[in-house]
Amino acid sequence: MLVVGICGMIGSGKSEVARVFEEHGAAVISADQIGREVVENDKVVLNKLRETFGDGIIAPDGSLDRRKLGALAFASEQAKAKLDSIVHPPLLAELRSRIEKLRSNGNVDMVVVDAALILDWQLENELDILICVTSPVDQQIKRLVYSGLTEAEARQRISTQIPA
């Protein structure tokens, strides 16, 4: 089984490239999706986030208010590092588990890992191929604003990532 990583900055078009691979039969693992599942389904992670960032990140229904967490977590490098230290270990464990399950099943020729932070996580040595997707910053901002962020939030998140 071929393991392909797709990395690049937020809003660069990684997911669109992953969709093209999926249309041609590849299994796609989205790190963003796993991250959402980790914070929604793992009460230990949710409690650590609450302890670190305060009760204000919890919506009235008890779920995580991702927008409020994002505003706090991307406000400084230290806050982002705290978020990463809580969410990334279980996210990476689940990502690796999913790759292994696909490998064990033997019915997929290619798996694509859609993850902006492949290089930050030092996963490149676990991949057969790494594709880096780039896009002009104004296009990234446009995509992020379309997805619901303000322009200021989009610029803030872009500024925390490794440049293309």
Side-chain angles (χ1 to χ4, degrees):
M1 180 180 83
L2 189 65
V3 181
V4 177
I6 299 177
C7 69
M9 295 180 74
I10 187 171
S12 64
K14 296 176 302 299
S15 296
E16 187 58 34
V17 172
R19 258 190 234 95
V20 171
F21 277 96
E22 189 171 37
E23 288 172 3
H24 289 86
V28 174
I29 299 172
S30 166
D32 286 346
Q33 180 61 38
I34 293 172
R36 282 189 289 277
E37 292 170 11
V38 164
V39 298
E40 290 170 8
N41 302 328
D42 188 328
K43 297 297 181 200
V44 172
V45 170
L46 188 59
N47 286 333
K48 285 181 184 176
L49 290 171
R50 180 188 298 211
E51 290 168 10
T52 303
F53 295 99
D55 291 335
I57 66 165
I58 304 300
D61 67 359
S63 66
L64 177 68
D65 185 326
R66 296 175 58 77
R67 188 166 192 130
K68 286 183 181 175
L69 174 62
L72 294 170
F74 288 93
S76 72
E77 195 60 40
Q78 296 84 359
K80 185 175 178 309
K82 287 178 185 177
L83 172 70
D84 293 349
S85 71
I86 295 167
V87 176
H88 288 178
L91 185 159
L92 284 167
E94 180 61 23
L95 188 146
R96 287 181 171 114
S97 172
R98 290 184 188 188
I99 292 171
E100 233 7 84
K101 284 179 187 168
L102 288 167
R103 186 175 278 125
S104 296
N105 289 344
N107 58 356
V108 176
D109 293 328
M110 180 186 298
V111 63
V112 172
V113 177
D114 175 1
L117 301 178
I118 286 173
L119 296 173
D120 291 340
W121 295 332
Q122 300 176 341
L123 283 178
E124 64 273 18
N125 293 328
E126 300 176 39
L127 307 169
D128 297 305
I129 296 171
L130 178 60
I131 298 169
C132 181
V133 179
T134 62
S135 178
V137 172
D138 63 328
Q139 187 64 35
Q140 290 174 267
I141 292 168
K142 215 180 202 180
R143 289 179 181 136
L144 293 170
V145 168
Y146 178 78
S147 74
L149 296 178
T150 66
E151 184 175 332
E153 290 169 330
R155 288 185 184 283
Q156 183 182 45
R157 292 185 187 196
I158 289 168
S159 74
T160 66
Q161 296 191 328
I162 296 173

